[in-house]
Amino acid sequence: MIHFSQLNIFNKRVLIRLDLNVPIKNNIIQSHARILAALPTIKIALKKNAKVIIMSHLGRPKIEQFNPELSLFPIYQFLKKILKNNTVYFCKDYLNGVHINNGELLVLENVRFNIGEKENKSTLAKKYANLCDIFVMDAFGAAHRIEASTYGVMEFSPISCAGPLLISEIKAITQALKNPNRPMVAVIGGAKISTKFNILNSLVNIADKIIVGGGIANTFIAINNNIGKSLHEPKFIQQAKILTKKNNILIPVDSRVGTYFDNNTPAKIKKINEINNDEEIMDFGDQTIKNMVLILNSAKTILWNGPVGVFEFQNFREGTKILAKTIAKSNAFSIAGGGDTLAVIEMFSIKHKISYISTGGGAFLQFIEKNTLPTIEMLKKITMHKNI
């Protein structure tokens, strides 16, 4: 696998695939975490006087055409302010070629507006490749996707390489998984066990303890208890039961419940065998929080993906808040990843207290499960076609 740092990029057209998929409301960026993580790569390329072109997806357009709500224009505006010593352009119509000078930055419009992006059409991948002399894959958050801008482009680019952020992500997650300091504790939250069943299947053989929260925990609770109208997945109850035989999955003993899903619904703490039909679990109860804090305090490695409750609601934030702050205070090597996890980290201002924050969500989970990703495998196969 060729590394970006190995290449001479002076005077070269360098196309960098980044993950700038950030939340934007009314043209205002709500979280800059992924942009700031990508910034060092951009700065390196500009400093080395390359002709720098960056591309990314944003959101999930229903059809492959321009949607102002999913435009990368606000990201361009942010980068223009940050990189005020460089000329920064924005381009909507770029598939037939662009013009750019050394030391300049060109931000391309959302790749998901292009027909064939999601399907990894070779016609589109060739057009991306024609924009550059060197393609840099630095979007770990999209590295699990076989799409034209992440995967197909590498088949046609003169040179393809792994960017600094992608490499650092791989190293950090590999460190946490291959030879972790023990005990290793995983915190896996979120709404659906179906999206995280495979990772749980892998983690039961790696982690010493696994703390489950959110809708995932509800599916485990439902093995032996009535959980009212709580979010869970009945089809996965039997598989969840099989996973519990490993005896390292920690299931809540009490929960904060409400009678309707709203910010203003009052929270009641109930044991998991006392939940009524009109109630839904939305957070850990106090005893569960105490139990989980004790486990986290003993950890030497912590892997964290997802909140353990409806942290957006004030009354159901306690479990996520205390676990997040416990992880932040821990001396363990902590690695966190996933969109909601990033939002929690920002909410409680603990960014600098987590050992490593991954920009990936689905990629983070898939790498933990399979120890590789499609684009990483493609990068390994790519060989240099020209002398550098």
Side-chain angles (χ1 to χ4, degrees):
M1 190 162 68
I2 305 165
H3 291 200
F4 180 57
S5 59
Q6 296 172 300
L7 303 175
N8 175 13
I9 64 171
F10 173 74
N11 200 30
K12 301 282 177 67
R13 296 174 302 152
V14 178
L15 176 62
I16 310 173
R17 177 51 160 103
L18 299 171
D19 180 14
L20 305 176
N21 185 29
V22 297
I24 299 175
K25 271 188 187 175
N26 301 319
N27 291 322
I28 297 169
I29 298 167
Q30 305 297 303
S31 168
H32 296 87
R34 283 179 170 157
I35 305 172
L36 295 175
L39 205 52
T41 304
I42 297 171
K43 287 182 175 179
I44 290 167
L46 290 171
K47 191 175 180 181
K48 292 189 175 181
N49 229 15
K51 299 168 182 177
V52 187
I53 307 165
I54 62 173
M55 63 177 177
S56 175
H57 73 284
L58 179 64
R60 299 173 184 267
K62 288 183 180 176
I63 49 175
E64 294 167 313
Q65 66 182 42
F66 178 72
N67 176 345
E69 292 180 4
L70 296 176
S71 173
L72 262 67
F73 193 75
I75 295 168
Y76 150 74
Q77 290 177 308
F78 176 75
L79 287 171
K80 194 172 182 180
K81 285 180 185 176
I82 293 283
L83 301 166
K84 48 193 171 189
N85 293 328
N86 296 91
T87 303
V88 183
Y89 299 106
F90 182 74
C91 187
K92 286 175 71 174
D93 183 13
Y94 52 85
L95 292 179
N96 293 319
V98 297
H99 175 74
I100 184 170
N101 297 315
N102 290 10
E104 294 182 343
L105 175 66
L106 180 63
V107 181
L108 304 183
E109 182 57 285
N110 191 345
V111 294
R112 286 194 177 161
F113 295 160
N114 299 325
I115 294 170
E117 167 63 21
K118 292 281 287 178
E119 298 81 11
N120 187 32
K121 294 290 186 184
S122 59
T123 48
L124 179 60
K126 284 177 185 175
K127 288 182 178 181
Y128 291 147
N130 287 337
L131 297 175
C132 68
D133 303 305
I134 298 169
F135 173 73
V136 184
M137 179 56 187
D138 209 27
F140 179 79
H144 61 311
R145 300 190 183 280
I146 300 175
E147 297 177 355
S149 69
T150 58
Y151 190 90
V153 61
M154 288 192 269
E155 293 188 59
F156 306 106
S157 298
I159 299 170
S160 295
C161 66
L165 181 59
L166 182 72
I167 292 163
S168 68
E169 294 266 16
I170 294 166
K171 283 182 179 176
I173 301 172
T174 301
Q175 178 187 336
L177 296 177
K178 282 205 170 175
N179 191 24
N181 287 330
R182 296 194 179 274
M184 176 186 176
V185 178
V187 180
I188 306 296
K192 294 184 177 181
I193 193 172
S194 56
T195 62
K196 297 186 180 179
F197 183 78
N198 288 339
I199 185 181
L200 287 171
N201 225 6
S202 297
L203 283 174
V204 288
N205 299 312
I206 299 169
D208 297 292
K209 299 287 183 185
I210 302 172
I211 295 170
V212 290
I216 294 168
N218 296 346
T219 303
F220 282 96
I221 294 170
I223 294 169
N224 294 311
N225 302 280
N226 172 49
I227 57 167
K229 54 182 184 178
S230 305
L231 175 69
H232 73 297
E233 292 179 275
K235 289 181 182 178
F236 280 85
I237 291 174
Q238 187 56 38
Q239 287 165 289
K241 188 175 182 179
I242 293 167
L243 280 178
T244 60
K245 290 179 181 177
K246 288 277 186 179
N247 292 318
N248 59 351
I249 294 180
L250 305 175
I251 300 167
V253 295
D254 62 348
S255 302
R256 280 179 167 76
V257 302
T259 51
Y260 52 95
F261 192 81
D262 185 88
N263 191 38
N264 298 315
T265 189
K268 287 183 183 177
I269 297 177
K270 287 199 162 184
K271 291 180 180 177
I272 58 169
N273 61 353
E274 296 176 347
I275 294 165
N276 297 326
N277 289 333
D278 65 339
E279 294 173 329
E280 58 184 308
I281 300 167
M282 290 194 273
D283 192 12
F284 284 168
D286 287 349
Q287 188 57 53
T288 298
I289 292 171
K290 286 177 186 175
N291 295 348
M292 303 312 184
V293 166
L294 281 173
I295 295 297
L296 286 170
N297 283 338
S298 70
K300 295 288 175 59
T301 301
I302 300 171
L303 182 77
W304 174 25
N305 176 263
V308 297
V310 188
F311 72 100
E312 299 92 340
F313 295 170
Q314 182 70 43
N315 293 339
F316 301 95
R317 187 175 293 167
E318 195 70 4
T320 300
K321 179 178 82 173
I322 293 179
L323 263 66
K325 292 192 171 182
T326 302
I327 294 168
K329 288 177 188 174
S330 173
N331 292 322
F333 175 78
S334 54
I335 180 166
D340 283 342
T341 315
L342 294 178
V344 170
I345 287 167
E346 288 199 14
M347 177 180 281
F348 300 121
S349 303
I350 57 172
K351 179 181 176 180
H352 300 294
K353 295 179 181 179
I354 305 297
S355 306
Y356 191 87
I357 299 172
S358 173
T359 56
F364 178 76
L365 296 175
Q366 193 170 315
F367 190 85
I368 291 168
E369 179 197 338
K370 297 182 177 178
N371 204 33
T372 190
L373 295 168
T375 54
I376 294 171
E377 290 305 301
M378 175 61 88
L379 281 164
K380 287 177 181 177
K381 291 176 187 175
I382 296 293
T383 56
M384 286 186 288
H385 302 296
K386 294 183 179 180
N387 292 325
I388 302 167

